[in-house]
Amino acid sequence: MSILSLVFKVLLRVRPSMVYERIKQQMMDTLPFVRLLGIKIDEIGAGTSKVSMPEDPKLNNHLGTQHAGALFTLAETASGAAMAGGFAELILGLRPVAKESRIQYQKVAKGATRAEGRVPGDLAALKAELKEQGKVAFPVEVDIFDAAGTLAAQVQVDWYLSEKRA
């Protein structure tokens, strides 16, 4: 375990918000496409996230509502943030890869949108599997809502985590 991972582990017990803020900042700094769309990671927790995207005509489709590709990017960002928050004390030593995803559009998304991500499984069991096997795969579920609070889409992103290669 690296010294920074150890610091994260200690901080998660005494000041978890500091760790989640650092992860949020790192994600925003290293995801230029997310920034291009105006997506903001509003909140990260232990296996949870809240992410938002502004209303912007550049993000619209031919119907004048949020484009499906923009919505998907919002959801994928929320899933990554929830995954990173769930593995916060280990994330610096991991290689996360979004392996597969499924999206079910429910309604058109009008105006600004927000996404809420969550790791539905037992985080302790997932971490134990990672420690034992050196890898773990699991889903992250995301709900997307439009400005009126209407459920616009439900997404599942399957993440694969392994230890970083030397």
Side-chain angles (χ1 to χ4, degrees), residues 46-106:
T48 63
S49 69
K50 292 184 180 178
V51 177
S52 59
M53 186 167 58
E55 179 176 15
D56 185 333
K58 293 182 290 196
L59 301 176
N60 288 349
N61 59 25
H62 62 289
L63 301 173
T65 60
Q66 290 270 1
H67 192 281
L71 291 175
F72 180 82
T73 303
L74 175 69
E76 199 272 343
T77 304
S79 76
M83 172 277 300
F87 288 81
E89 72 276 19
L90 305 170
I91 197 66
L92 295 173
L94 296 177
R95 183 175 171 260
V97 176
K99 182 178 165 188
E100 184 177 340
S101 56
R102 291 164 289 297
I103 188 165
Q104 295 177 321
Y105 298 100
Q106 307 293 325

